[in-house]
Amino acid sequence: MGSEPLDPIPLSALQHWCYCPRQCGLIHLEQAFDDNVHTLRGNALHARVDQPGVETAKGARVERALPVWHESLGLIGKADVVEYSPGGAPYPVEYKQGSRHKAAAIAACDDVQLAAQALCLEATSGRAVPEGALYYASSKRRRVVSITPELRQQVVTVAGEVRRMLASGLLPPVLEGAEALLHCKGCSLHERCQPEATSALLVRLRADLFTPDQS
């Protein structure tokens, strides 16, 4: 008998996990999501992009809002745009709000989501997808991303981590230190998460745990 199919994980969960595991847990475990200026801009962008359809541009077929999946990895989602070469090879283009000049750690989260789309397209089309692109609305420019072996492995690793979190039902801890400074400020779930208050509580608990009993 074959193994049971995996419950599908949304491709967006991989990007959320890379940005912050706790954010991923709040969204995909607790179904919590709050808007801020960044998410509202992103929603407006995808309202224009997420209209399913097929068109021809410069002699090549272009599909928008294309459903994609990968059965063995248990991934499911939607590719904003897939451009096809004259030979039929797919080329995913993921739309993001903001500038293409993001901090490297933030941009890397987008790369993982794009690579997951590439793996899904490979699995369903049988064609190699060695490259894709991220289109940033503020810059109106693309950033080409090579789908390297390291990036492919990261997709597999992150999918496994998200799956373990969902199976455990446990919310990951808040980010601390430099990661918190970079990621928490722009997070729409900042008020719900309260990372500063949680971090302060952890500091007090650790201090109590390691302080010798003077009695």
Side-chain angles (χ1 to χ4, degrees):
M1 295 178 61
S3 59
E4 291 293 322
L6 298 170
D7 290 334
I9 294 173
L11 294 181
S12 60
L14 306 187
Q15 194 273 348
H16 294 145
W17 180 274
C18 291
Y19 188 86
C20 170
R22 188 174 180 86
Q23 182 199 70
C24 183
L26 287 168
I27 295 172
H28 298 281
L29 271 178
E30 300 192 354
Q31 307 300 309
F33 196 83
D34 301 320
D35 280 317
N36 65 6
V37 65
H38 303 297
T39 61
L40 290 172
R41 286 172 179 167
N43 292 341
L45 172 65
H46 282 89
R48 296 194 297 271
V49 175
D50 289 348
Q51 299 297 320
V54 180
E55 61 188 66
T56 300
K58 298 181 180 179
R61 187 169 100 257
V62 177
E63 295 195 31
R64 298 183 181 276
L66 178 67
V68 295
W69 63 91
H70 196 300
E71 289 189 3
S72 63
L73 290 178
L75 298 175
I76 192 168
K78 186 183 294 183
D80 288 339
V81 173
V82 179
E83 301 170 349
Y84 292 87
S85 72
Y91 188 96
V93 182
E94 172 69 10
Y95 278 57
K96 296 292 184 184
Q97 64 89 18
S99 168
R100 68 193 294 265
H101 300 294
K102 292 185 176 183
I106 304 298
C109 304
D110 298 340
D111 293 356
V112 170
Q113 184 177 4
L114 180 68
Q117 292 179 14
L119 267 62
C120 290
L121 289 167
E122 287 183 340
T124 55
S125 72
R127 305 294 296 268
V129 183
E131 186 179 282
L134 291 152
Y135 176 84
Y136 291 99
S138 295
S139 300
K140 294 183 171 59
R141 295 282 302 277
R142 290 186 178 189
R143 179 170 63 83
V144 173
V145 177
S146 295
I147 312 301
T148 63
E150 293 78 15
L151 197 50
R152 292 168 183 271
Q153 182 56 50
Q154 191 175 1
V155 170
V156 175
T157 300
V158 172
E161 291 171 338
V162 172
R163 194 173 298 283
R164 283 189 288 275
M165 177 199 68
L166 294 174
S168 73
L170 299 176
L171 192 64
V174 297
L175 296 179
E176 298 186 72
E179 279 192 311
L181 291 174
L182 179 62
H183 295 256
C184 294
K185 183 178 180 180
C187 179
S188 66
L189 296 176
H190 185 273
E191 290 301 315
R192 188 184 297 269
C193 178
Q194 293 291 317
E196 295 86 359
T198 305
S199 293
L201 177 60
L202 288 173
V203 169
R204 290 198 298 271
L205 289 174
R206 289 167 185 159
D208 291 344
L209 182 63
F210 293 103
T211 299
D213 188 353
Q214 300 297 323
S215 59

